[in-house]
Amino acid sequence: MREPRQWRLTKNLEGGIVSLGLAMTQHPIEKLMAQFALFAENTFRSPRATRFDPGKILTAIGIFLKFNSSLYSAQPLEDAFSKHFGSKSLFGPAMTDGEYPVTTRVAVTSATNFGQTPCIISNYNYPNLVNAGRQEDLDLDMTVSQAARATSAAPWYLPPFIKNKVDYWDGAVSANCPARTAYLETQKLWPGDSAPIDMLLSIGTGTQNGEKPPRTNRNSTPGAWGFLATAKNMLERQVDSKEGWNEFRNVSSPTTIRDRLHRLDPPLGTDKKIELDDYKKIDDMIEAVEQHLGPGGPGRGDLLSIANRLIANVFFFERKEVKENVEYKIVDGYIKCRFEHGNLAVRKLLQKVTGFFYTASFQNIQDGGNAVGVVWSRIEEGQPVTVMTHGVEVVRIPHTMREPIGGGRQHLIAVEFKGFEGKIPISGFPCTLPDLIHRSSQKWLQ
């Protein structure tokens, strides 16, 4: 249960870059947004032919005949990535700016073989499987900047990224809405039901009106023709990311996790389709999103609900001891926090918390246990929320759960926040005590 299941898998050009920045540099989101805007401007400011210039037609012919590989050169983007990410390895050795090891798992999607073969580039191993993207020689492994380049090689716009004689294309070709891919990754990391997801959040690129291109068969044309089909398919999937989410949310996902699947995809407030290389529209898109999700906006309630659920997952239960007598199975342990001990963020977080609560029920208490008839007990009443350990302030709230022998109740520890109605499950809950005991005995790989 202690395993910090902080994990991101993203795709589209912007999503992969920002997620790599969040996970591997720990920079604040404001800095990453500004950096992304700079990436876009440097990359798309100088095409090989202007948008309305006849030279663009010649460039397209050149791409088809392979005289050129893209409308834009990748060199400005590669230089910017190298400057921003440095030479940090994507796997293992990567450190934050404060020289603390990176523990957040992050994966980005890409595609090889002219975009015909989906692949995942990640910074973690699997417990029971081989990570096909890893190399025996560390010098051949992906760096963070190379992973960013591989996941952002949008066909037509940018050339593929080549490493170890493999061509990497933008993952939008095969998984522009990678929710299903992300869920399948969790099954590889935590096989079976050993650690069901707390929450899966899909963040779209913003809904916009625009003509939907006709669908093509991505496997029908090889070679140069296949490249053009790849580019076309990428654009189709950009439009179809909502369709992909709906299919996963309502059809292919297990019914037991659907209440934990969430999506944010605010409208961009324009009737004209925004092209992938139109970097001048970034400020307009930010303004449209802020109007929708900002204070008083129609999407504000959904945003706050999702944010509070994510924050609640920062807390987890660590088993200390399991006891059993003729009547009960008893689990003693502590509620803890995944933030660094003594961190200012922990104090700010605890100021937001009004209390921790516990219930056990045969009812379905998947969604916060707010069903009629559920009886809550306050956990930390009369107990210190933090203790001093080796001179450092640590969140540690003792709690005991009991289950009658042969019982099968769902147990739920939840947190309540100021200004938010309802109680939200902490990480790993609800669950039965046998499941809790099983998970807490697992060994996890970084």
Side-chain angles (χ1 to χ4, degrees):
M1 293 298 291
R2 183 172 183 169
E3 164 62 9
R5 284 177 286 157
Q6 299 167 286
W7 185 75
R8 302 181 179 97
L9 184 144
T10 57
K11 188 58 236 124
N12 13 73
L13 184 148
E14 62 275 24
I17 295 171
V18 172
S19 283
L20 285 169
L22 282 170
M24 305 304 291
T25 69
Q26 309 292 294
H27 289 161
I29 189 65
E30 294 82 7
K31 180 175 181 178
L32 293 172
M33 288 174 62
Q35 190 65 53
F36 174 80
L38 186 61
F39 289 159
E41 181 177 357
N42 290 342
T43 303
F44 299 132
R45 182 173 49 203
S46 302
R48 292 192 171 107
T50 60
R51 182 175 296 278
F52 299 106
D53 194 299
K56 188 171 183 179
I57 299 175
L58 296 177
T59 300
I61 296 173
I63 291 174
F64 174 69
L65 297 176
K66 294 194 174 182
F67 295 140
N68 298 315
S69 60
S70 62
L71 182 60
Y72 299 91
S73 167
Q75 196 59 54
L77 187 61
E78 291 178 356
D79 291 344
F81 284 161
S82 295
K83 182 178 180 180
H84 183 69
F85 293 115
S87 59
K88 294 178 181 177
S89 170
L90 178 66
F91 189 89
M95 308 288 281
T96 68
D97 286 349
E99 296 306 309
Y100 293 105
V102 169
T103 59
T104 301
R105 291 177 173 85
V106 63
V108 293
T109 59
S110 186
T112 61
N113 187 28
F114 281 104
Q116 305 301 303
T117 306
C119 72
I120 290 177
I121 303 169
S122 67
N123 70 342
Y124 51 79
N125 276 324
Y126 302 109
N128 303 317
L129 299 171
V130 174
N131 184 339
R134 295 297 316 283
Q135 299 291 328
E136 293 293 333
D137 186 344
L138 290 178
D139 292 333
L140 299 179
D141 250 346
M142 283 273 189
T143 64
V144 180
S145 62
Q146 290 172 341
R149 174 69 179 87
T151 192
S152 59
W156 165 265
Y157 296 96
L158 292 168
F161 173 67
I162 309 294
K163 184 175 178 65
N164 304 330
K165 299 181 180 180
V166 177
D167 61 300
Y168 292 91
W169 296 94
D170 188 305
V173 174
S174 59
N176 193 48
C177 179
R180 182 174 183 275
T181 305
Y183 177 70
L184 293 176
E185 278 292 283
T186 69
Q187 298 305 289
K188 295 176 184 176
L189 285 167
W190 301 283
D193 296 324
S194 61
I197 63 170
D198 291 320
M199 181 177 180
L200 188 153
L201 174 61
S202 171
I203 301 178
T205 54
T207 57
Q208 55 180 312
N209 297 324
E211 186 176 352
K212 204 171 186 178
R215 194 171 275 282
T216 61
N217 183 352
R218 69 192 288 266
N219 296 314
S220 61
T221 49
W225 284 101
F227 175 84
L228 295 181
T230 294
K232 204 170 185 182
N233 271 278
M234 185 205 69
L235 296 177
E236 291 171 7
R237 283 179 166 79
Q238 291 281 1
V239 174
D240 285 350
S241 68
K242 184 175 181 180
E243 180 181 315
W245 166 256
N246 288 336
E247 191 281 332
F248 172 69
R249 173 66 178 81
N250 301 318
V251 180
S252 62
S253 64
T255 56
T256 53
I257 69 167
R258 289 181 184 172
D259 64 315
R260 305 182 185 193
L261 306 180
H262 302 270
R263 182 168 169 86
L264 286 175
D265 198 15
L268 297 182
T270 177
D271 291 330
K272 186 177 180 181
K273 187 176 186 302
I274 300 173
E275 300 294 337
L276 185 147
D277 57 346
D278 197 353
Y279 67 91
K280 294 181 180 179
K281 291 289 197 317
I282 289 178
D283 287 342
D284 293 339
M285 290 189 286
I286 291 174
E287 182 179 355
V289 171
E290 288 178 344
Q291 287 179 356
H292 185 76
L293 299 178
R300 183 68 172 181
D302 289 340
L303 176 65
L304 292 178
S305 176
I306 289 171
N308 281 322
R309 288 179 181 274
L310 287 170
I311 294 170
N313 290 161
V314 169
F315 296 104
F316 65 98
F317 181 81
E318 182 175 88
R319 185 194 77 177
K320 177 185 176 183
E321 185 180 13
V322 177
K323 297 176 287 187
E324 188 172 320
N325 57 36
V326 294
E327 295 183 83
Y328 292 98
K329 187 180 289 290
I330 303 168
V331 176
D332 291 325
Y334 301 97
I335 298 171
K336 293 189 172 183
C337 180
R338 289 183 175 133
F339 287 164
E340 181 186 350
H341 297 325
N343 195 304
L344 178 61
V346 177
R347 298 191 189 99
K348 289 184 176 181
L349 176 59
L350 292 177
Q351 290 173 3
K352 180 182 175 69
V353 173
T354 61
F356 291 92
F357 298 84
Y358 166 75
T359 189
S361 175
F362 288 105
Q363 295 187 53
N364 181 356
I365 51 176
Q366 292 294 319
D367 191 20
N370 295 313
V372 175
V374 172
V375 178
W376 292 97
S377 59
R378 193 178 183 95
I379 291 177
E380 79 280 10
E381 192 91 45
Q383 301 175 20
V385 174
T386 60
V387 296
M388 298 300 294
T389 302
H390 303 296
V392 178
E393 189 178 32
V394 177
V395 176
R396 194 174 73 179
I397 305 166
H399 180 59
T400 298
M401 289 175 279
R402 295 177 174 83
E403 180 66 26
I405 300 298
R409 294 181 301 171
Q410 292 273 309
H411 294 253
L412 174 57
I413 297 176
V415 61
E416 191 174 71
F417 295 126
K418 294 177 182 176
F420 184 78
E421 185 177 348
K423 298 172 177 61
I424 309 172
I426 70 170
S427 180
F429 290 87
C431 66
T432 64
L433 282 199
D435 282 343
L436 175 65
I437 295 168
H438 172 69
R439 291 180 211 164
S440 61
S441 65
Q442 298 297 295
K443 294 180 179 180
W444 308 100
L445 291 177
Q446 176 59 32

